[in-house]
């Protein structure tokens, strides 16, 4: 087995990169494209409701996404009901974007926390219609289990509120989710810098999805490179197995066998 351990596989598709990126908030489409290339990502998510369908040529966001290299993951950002989310996913399919979807059903505009009841409802409908559903959800193991039972291909609990950059606020709950479900667990939302991504991966999650942390950085391309390294380092640290935490010091050089 390689140093990366168990492959990152969703619905039968294996990815070499465990970093998933967004497509919003970048200074320009060109910067976005360079970040995608520098990060090594193989999957990007696009907000269907924010997509300018009238844009053509270089003004079109889709023009800057390498569809031959990147798997497209249309998302249902700005949806607040299951009905709206399902309708948006159907639109994405009609536009030829993808049958894979990132499901977001938000509870309110202030916190951007998910409405888990509506999310589960939408997930059940979409799975029955043949969509590969990756739902954004709270860091609640019970909801994660319900989404897995609904047929979702992965679960994507938040690390912190969307765009907050607060990092991993509740690592204990993420561990509980990892113990509860068998589908891939992807931390979605809240990452602010490379150390946050590394911490998430050290917990044992399968991947990290982010947008603002890279798009909003002073140097987005350099941050994309940093995130790539952080995800890889965090995964390797998880596989290597950290030393136990101790209340007191322990000498690096053992004293056994030393003549007094």
């Amino acid at each position: 087995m390689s140093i990366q351990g168990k492959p990152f596989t969703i619905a039968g598709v294996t990815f070499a990169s465990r970093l998933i990126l967004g497509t919003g908030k970048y200074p320009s489409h060109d910067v976005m494209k360079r970040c995608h290339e520098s990060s090594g990502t193989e999957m990007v998510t696009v907000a269907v409701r924010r997509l300018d369908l009238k844009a053509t040529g270089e003004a079109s966001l889709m023009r800057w996404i390498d569809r031959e290299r990147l798997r497209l993951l249309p998302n249902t950002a700005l949806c607040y009901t299951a009905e709206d989310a399902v309708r948006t996913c159907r639109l994405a399919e009609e536009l030829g974007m993808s049958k894979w979807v990132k499901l977001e059903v938000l509870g309110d505009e202030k916190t951007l926390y998910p409405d888990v009841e509506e999310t589960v409802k939408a997930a059940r409908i979409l799975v029955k219609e043949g969509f590969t559903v990756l739902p954004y959800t709270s860091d609640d193991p019970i909801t994660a289990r319900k989404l897995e039972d609904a047929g979702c291909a992965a679960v994507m609990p938040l690390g912190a509120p969307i765009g907050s950059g607060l990092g991993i606020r509740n690592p204990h709950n993420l561990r509980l989710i990892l113990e509860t479900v068998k589908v891939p667990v992807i931390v979605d939302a809240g990452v602010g810098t490379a150390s946050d991504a590394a911490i998430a991966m050290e917990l044992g999650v399968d991947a990290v999805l982010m947008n603002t942390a890279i798009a909003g950085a002073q140097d987005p391309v350099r941050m994309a490179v940093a995130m790539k390294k952080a995800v890889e380092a965090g995964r390797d640290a998880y596989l290597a197995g950290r030393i136990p935490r101790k209340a007191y010091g322990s000498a690096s050089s053992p004293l056994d066998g030393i003549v007094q």
Side-chain angles (χ1 to χ4, degrees):
M1 183 177 290
S2 71
I3 195 170
Q4 289 298 309
K6 181 181 176 182
F8 174 36
T9 302
I10 300 176
V13 178
T14 298
F15 299 89
S17 173
R18 294 174 181 269
L19 177 59
I20 305 169
L21 298 190
T23 54
K25 299 183 179 180
Y26 287 90
S28 69
H29 291 335
D30 178 63
V31 170
M32 177 198 73
K33 182 178 181 180
R34 288 193 286 132
C35 286
H36 289 171
E37 293 170 346
S38 300
S39 71
T41 187
E42 296 172 308
M43 180 159 48
V44 298
T45 181
V46 176
V48 179
R49 290 196 163 200
R50 292 194 179 103
L51 198 59
D52 184 358
L53 300 178
K54 296 181 181 179
T56 59
E58 294 192 354
S60 171
L61 172 69
M62 300 302 293
R63 154 75 170 71
W64 296 87
I65 298 175
D66 185 354
R67 296 289 296 274
E68 292 186 3
R69 189 179 70 84
L70 301 174
R71 178 172 289 271
L72 201 60
L73 190 65
N75 71 59
T76 61
L78 302 180
C79 291
Y80 291 86
T81 67
E83 290 76 15
D84 282 348
V86 170
R87 189 180 305 112
T88 301
C89 291
R90 290 169 179 163
L91 173 61
E93 183 184 13
E94 290 176 5
L95 292 172
M97 296 179 71
S98 178
K99 195 80 173 180
W100 284 42
V101 293
K102 177 190 173 186
L103 175 62
E104 292 183 30
V105 186
L106 302 178
D108 65 70
E109 296 181 2
K110 182 178 181 180
T111 65
L112 300 182
Y113 268 86
D115 183 324
V116 295
E117 183 178 2
E118 291 292 290
T119 300
V120 173
K121 179 181 176 181
R124 288 173 177 154
I125 295 171
L126 291 168
V127 168
K128 287 181 179 179
E129 294 185 6
F131 285 89
T132 298
V133 182
L134 285 67
Y136 161 68
T137 183
S138 62
D139 57 357
D140 168 24
I142 306 305
T143 301
R145 185 176 64 200
K146 289 181 178 180
L147 289 166
E148 180 183 41
D149 291 344
C152 292
V155 292
M156 304 202 297
L158 54 83
I162 293 174
S164 67
L166 289 171
I168 310 304
R169 308 308 297 170
N170 198 339
H172 177 66
N173 272 29
L174 293 177
R175 292 191 186 98
L176 290 178
I177 291 174
L178 288 165
E179 293 176 5
T180 302
V181 303
K182 294 183 174 60
V183 295
V185 176
I186 303 167
V187 167
D188 177 13
V191 168
T193 190
S195 57
D196 299 331
I199 288 171
M201 295 303 298
E202 287 172 7
L203 294 172
V205 303
D206 294 274
V208 178
L209 190 158
M210 66 183 73
N211 184 77
T212 307
I214 293 177
Q218 294 182 31
D219 187 337
V221 177
R222 177 167 287 188
M223 184 62 81
V225 174
M227 291 299 187
K228 175 183 179 180
K229 294 176 180 178
V231 167
E232 293 173 350
R235 179 65 179 175
D236 285 344
Y238 167 72
L239 294 173
R242 64 158 292 133
I243 62 172
R245 291 179 172 87
K246 297 180 180 179
Y248 300 97
S250 177
S252 298
S253 301
L255 300 177
D256 296 344
I258 295 179
V259 178
Q260 301 293 328

